[in-house]
Amino acid sequence: MKDSQGTVEQALARKAQQRNGAMAWVRNEVVRVGLAETLSTSVMMVFGLGSVAQVVTGTGAFGEYLSINLGFGIGVAMGVHVAGKVSGAHMNAAVSFTMCVFGRLKWKMLPLYVTAQFLGSFLAAGTVYSLYYDAIHHYSGGNLTVSGPKATAGIFATYPAPYLSVYAGFLDQVVGTSMLLLCLMALSDRRNQPAPIGSEPLAAGLLVLLIGISLGSNSGYAINPTRDLAPRVFSALAGWGPEVFKAGHAWWWVPVVAPLVGGVVGALIYRVFVEMHHPSVHKRARAYESEPEGEPLDKLEKPGPPEVCV
């Protein structure tokens, strides 16, 4: 009697678990990745754009340029915590495109990543605009402008410095994104000196912070097509108008195209200078056998694609 009762209870428990699992879990990989990438991008962008809004509308009372670098850097770290083990938390179309070029992401997944990143950035722009609506209109006197002493369009998208030509700006974005992908490749290279397991979000955030404080003054270091384009579209719809696409000699396309070029260039540089010259697994295994204090064999296996990118 007890056995039959126990069997019934176990069956009921399994059914309840299945029902709860069906309600709580999305098993479709595309949906899981899309949701995670959207959320991680939105989290990163809320912190990043929020830091810009606070500095601009506060006229220096609530932070300076370094505050923006810290906002984006720490925002990236939080975004990686949100989705690092689900989607890889690319949060950047240049990263996703580069991963496809180097075979670390399937090309059929690229539209999903780009769409999720665009949506996450757009939602973040709307969130920041809602939070700082009163501050923006108070600061600008209700006149939403792209340039001038009370310009506020730069809260959402990047614009070149007055002295910067389009050609120099293109190079600026290529170099900045090259450094991003070059260092991300190094941080994920298990046969070199990768970020310690668990510290990847911090390392990615510090990398973005470093790029901001060293390569960010010319054009706002977008280094991310979806980060720049989606909030620019939002600002055009929210009242700044088509001028957001005309300003800076039609600057808008530079932070969209240049990072795609720069990402591939940076990853290629790392591969040519470092990754291609790693000793093979067999050679390292023989070295281990001849060295009493060699590296454990379980560390000699070739690593797969990096789990965390930004």
Side-chain angles (χ1 to χ4, degrees), residues 94 97-99 101-102 177-178 181 259-269:
F97 178 74
T98 303
M99 295 299 103
V101 171
F102 287 87
T177 317
S178 294
L181 267 297
L260 300 178
V261 177
V264 174
V265 169
L268 182 62
I269 288 173

Side-chain angles (χ1 to χ4, degrees), residues 45 51 71 100 117 197 205 208 229 260 287:
M45 290 295 292
S51 66
C100 289
Q117 292 156 8
I197 295 175
V208 172
L229 183 59
L260 300 178

